[in-house]
Amino acid sequence: AQSVAQPEDQVNVAEGNPLTVKCTYSVSGNPYLFWYVQYPNRGLQFLLKYITGDNLVKGSYGFEAEFNKSQTSFHLKKPSALVSDSALYFCAVRDEDYGQNFVFGPGTRLSVLP
Amino acid sequence: NAGVTQTPKFRILKIGQSMTLQCAQDMNHNYMYWYRQDPGMGLKLIYYSVGAGITDKGEVPNGYNVSRSTTEDFPLRLELAAPSQTSVYFCASSSRPALDSPLHFGNGTRLTVT
C-alpha cells in the first residue's frame, strides 16, 4: 500500500536561514511525488513534483526538493526562508498501482520567525 | 481565471440533515476529485470522476454521493449528516490522467455537523 510520512508536525526557522521539511514515502511501483502548500483558509497549491530523472527538483517561490531513492525520501528545501513562507506543507505520492488517488501526508506546519 | 470554485464556504448542519456542496471548474479539466481534510490526517479521497457521466469511489465514500452531468460541475451530496462528517471539504481538478499531473484545488467548504 502507498503511504507518506511527514515526521515533524511543526518546523520553526528564522528568516534568512535555510529550511527543510521532511517527507518519506512507501509505494510498490515508481513514485510520483508532489509538494503542496496551504495558506490559511485556502486550498492547496502545487509547489513542485518529481517524476523520474534529476534528483534535485526546482519549483515555485524558490523551493526545491531532493529525491533520495535509497532512503525513500523527498525533502522540501529552501536556501533562505521568508516570513511569508509560513504555511502548512503537504507531501503527496501516486503510483501506477493506485491510479487516480493521491496519498497525502499529514502535513507539516512551517513557521518562519522574523 | 476563476479555476476551481466551491460553494458555500461555511455551513452548519444538524444531525440528519442533507446538503450539497457545489464545485465548478472553468479549465475544461476532465478529472475532478473530492477530498476531506481532518486535522493531522492529511487529505482523504472521497470520490473522483474521470469525465462527465463517470464517477468512482475513493478511500472514504460512505455517507456521500456524487454526480457528474457536465465537465464543469461535480457536486458532492451528504445524506443524513453525522458528526463524523465535520471536516473541511476540498474539490480539485486535473487536466489529464498522467500520474505526474498535479491537482488544482478550490478554497474549500468548512462543514460542521452538530
Side-chain angles (χ1 to χ4, degrees), chain A:
Chain A
Q2 299 165 303
S3 67
V4 176
Q6 293 180 241
E8 300 157 317
D9 294 335
Q10 173 93 31
V11 170
N12 298 320
V13 64
E15 188 174 28
N17 283 1
L19 70 86
T20 299
V21 182
K22 296 180 180 177
C23 170
T24 59
Y25 66 91
S26 174
V27 297
S28 53
N30 290 322
Y32 295 78
L33 294 154
F34 302 78
W35 276 102
Y36 290 84
V37 60
Q38 184 180 30
Y39 298 101
N41 299 315
R42 302 295 299 273
L44 281 67
Q45 297 177 30
F46 169 69
L47 271 182
L48 52 78
K49 66 181 179 182
Y50 171 84
I51 35 180
T52 56
D54 293 339
N55 289 342
L56 185 64
V57 178
K58 293 191 183 298
S60 306
Y61 313 120
F63 284 93
E64 56 191 26
E66 186 173 11
F67 173 72
N68 187 315
K69 186 174 182 177
S70 63
Q71 297 184 3
T72 61
S73 66
F74 188 55
H75 299 332
L76 182 69
K77 299 174 183 287
K78 189 174 183 182
S80 178
L82 301 172
V83 172
S84 57
D85 293 330
S86 299
L88 190 55
Y89 290 80
F90 290 95
C91 182
V93 68
R94 298 173 94 176
D95 73 7
E96 294 97 339
D97 291 347
Y98 285 85
Q100 291 303 317
N101 193 14
F102 281 76
V103 174
F104 286 84
T108 297
R109 186 164 301 281
L110 172 68
S111 293
V112 181
L113 309 174

Side-chain angles (χ1 to χ4, degrees), chain B residues 40-109:
Chain B
M41 300 294 290
L43 278 73
K44 302 291 185 184
L45 182 65
I46 305 171
Y47 271 95
Y48 68 95
S49 169
V50 300
I54 306 170
T55 63
D56 208 346
K57 296 178 180 179
E59 189 179 355
V60 289
N62 292 343
Y64 308 95
N65 276 300
V66 293
S67 60
R68 184 92 182 274
S69 57
T70 67
T71 299
E72 294 77 19
D73 299 300
F74 190 41
L76 178 71
R77 178 81 178 163
L78 278 71
E79 304 282 1
L80 298 175
S84 61
Q85 293 177 305
T86 294
S87 188
V88 182
Y89 292 85
F90 288 101
C91 181
S93 70
S94 68
S95 60
R96 51 195 178 92
L99 292 173
D100 67 333
S101 181
L103 295 174
H104 301 261
F105 283 86
N107 286 334
T109 295

